[in-house]
């Protein structure tokens, strides 16, 4: 009989235990193994060459942190059954199972506004049938329907184990040390209040503020870095253009499953859609872009060359929207330089906005010694939280690098 209680060596957390056989069975399933071929950070490796880690890495790391968090809560007297432990670990293990190629960038393009969480839930239900209902508790927790609220908060909130893993992991692989947080310290401060909600022991206030600032720095320095934003934008435009050209009758070389989605009309998801989706990964998109570099459509071939050859368009960044005249000038110069009349397709304003700490959506609560809970931003000890409740925005204008030398 196969030993399923394995230990995995992870570069971020060290040794990760698989304490339940059902976890191993889910990890071995083709739906989960596909995550080995889906990058955690899209095209971020064009900017940070080390960022080649996958959703597979991240899901295992988040599962490990969930196990650590549950052990911590048990030590503080919170009763957690083995079934609940299994459910919580399964839920976080599968939370990204519905991600499509290049993660966030393309999920809406392929499945018409189907957010990855919706697809994850759909695949969880299919797996639950295969495993004879063993994932039912996990699905309840994932959906926030389980009667003990803190399980869902550990899976999805402003301070969940998902964020704790991806911040440290992305910091490690990009080499951007500002994202490095002390996950063990944060987890050791976790608690559950009398209402059954996840809270943080009051003495952990500065660890939480450090977590929020680290996340903010990672967004502006890494995820929303102007070239990162551009690379993700280009992926979306490439798929959008390909779908448009196919709708106009053009034949585009691509793998069987990607071709299926390029031709797919907007309808609710069918069983075949789901099957085809689970066969897709980053390699399908890269292979297609390599072919499309030679497309007779100038716009598609230009964008694909930009990505594959890493000769990316020029970007300028601002805290305010760009003047219409400034954008029109870029479009005119693009038309003149390439001898085309649809230069507007190559000039775009990209907007990125961030609210570092959302006080309305699942605020973080501190548990004081007397048992009273208060909001993080209301704590007398907080230094930074009050400054992180305002939305910030950046505007990025992208246009062909070729025209930059003819612009005054």
């Amino acid at each position: 009989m196969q030993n399923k209680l394995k230990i995995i060596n992870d570069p971020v957390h060290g040794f990760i235990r698989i304490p339940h056989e059902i976890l191993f069975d889910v990890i071995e399933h083709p739906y989960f193994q596909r995550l080995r071929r889906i990058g955690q950070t899209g095209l971020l490796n064009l900017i940070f060459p080390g960022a080649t880690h996958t959703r597979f890495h991240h899901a295992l790391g988040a599962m490990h942190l969930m196990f650590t968090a549950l052990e911590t809560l048990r030590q503080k007297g919170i009763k957690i059954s083995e079934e609940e432990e299994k459910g919580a670990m399964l839920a976080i293990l599968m939370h990204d199972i519905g991600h499509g190629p290049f993660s966030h960038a393309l999920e809406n393009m392929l499945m018409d506004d189907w957010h990855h969480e919706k697809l994850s839930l759909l695949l969880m239900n299919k797996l639950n049938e295969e495993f004879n209902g063993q994932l039912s508790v996990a699905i309840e927790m994932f959906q926030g329907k389980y009667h003990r609220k803190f399980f869902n908060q550990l899976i999805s909130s402003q301070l969940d184990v998902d964020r704790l893993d991806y911040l440290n992991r992305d910091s490690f692989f990009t080499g951007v040390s500002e994202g490095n947080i002390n996950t063990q310290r944060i987890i050791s401060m976790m608690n559950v209040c009398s209402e059954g909600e996840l809270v943080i022991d009051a003495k952990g206030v500065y660890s939480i503020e450090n977590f929020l600032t680290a996340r903010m720095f990672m967004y502006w320095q890494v995820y929303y870095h102007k070239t990162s934003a551009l690379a993700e934008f280009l992926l979306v435009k490439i798929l959008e253009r390909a779908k448009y050209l196919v709708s106009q009758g053009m034949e585009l070389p691509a793998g069987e499953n990607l071709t299926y989605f390029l031709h797919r009309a907007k309808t609710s998801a069918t069983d075949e859609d789901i099957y085809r989706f689970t066969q897709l990964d980053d390699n399908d998109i890269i292979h297609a872009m390599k072919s499309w570099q030679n497309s007779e459509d100038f716009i598609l071939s230009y964008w694909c060359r930009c990505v594959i050859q890493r000769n990316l368009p020029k970007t300028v960044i601002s805290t305010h929207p760009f003047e219409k005249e400034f954008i029109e000038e870029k479009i005119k110069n693009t038309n003149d330089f390439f001898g085309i009349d649809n230069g507007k397709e190559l000039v775009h304003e990209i907007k990125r906005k961030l609210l570092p700490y959302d006080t309305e959506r699942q605020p973080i609560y501190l548990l004081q010694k007397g048992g009273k809970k208060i909001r993080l931003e209301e704590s007398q000890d907080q230094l930074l939280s009050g400054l992180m409740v305002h939305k910030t925005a950046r505007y990025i204008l992208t246009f062909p690098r070729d025209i930059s030398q003819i612009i005054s």
Side-chain angles (χ1 to χ4, degrees), residues 28 84 124 167 177 199 212 295 344 362 385 387 405-406:
E28 289 284 278
E84 288 175 326
M124 282 185 204
L167 279 180
S177 58
V199 290
L212 290 172
S295 170
K344 68 179 187 300
Q362 291 185 309
S385 306
L387 303 172
Q405 66 267 28
I406 63 169

Side-chain angles (χ1 to χ4, degrees), residues 74 88 91 110 125 129 153 159-160 169 204 245 256 351 361 364 367 369 373 385 392:
R74 277 192 178 121
L110 296 171
N125 283 317
E129 288 174 26
Q153 290 173 303
L159 189 60
D160 55 35
R169 191 167 299 279
L245 293 172
E256 183 185 338
K351 183 182 179 183
R361 186 181 165 272
I364 297 169
L367 186 66
K369 276 192 176 168
K373 66 171 191 174
S385 306
T392 47

Side-chain angles (χ1 to χ4, degrees), residues 308-336:
I308 296 297
Q309 299 172 20
R310 204 209 174 278
N311 183 17
L312 298 169
K314 183 94 172 142
T315 51
V316 285
I317 192 164
S318 170
T319 53
H320 303 286
F322 289 89
E323 297 288 339
K324 190 179 176 189
E325 294 76 18
F326 186 66
I327 296 172
E328 290 296 330
E329 180 197 7
K330 297 289 185 283
I331 294 171
K332 180 182 181 302
N333 284 323
T334 299
N335 282 331
D336 292 347

Side-chain angles (χ1 to χ4, degrees), residues 352-375:
R352 289 288 180 268
K353 58 183 186 293
L354 177 68
L355 179 59
Y357 174 49
D358 189 343
T359 56
E360 298 304 313
R361 186 181 165 272
Q362 291 185 309
I364 297 169
Y365 284 99
L366 300 176
L367 186 66
Q368 297 179 305
K369 276 192 176 168
K372 183 187 173 191
K373 66 171 191 174
I374 60 166
R375 283 171 173 256

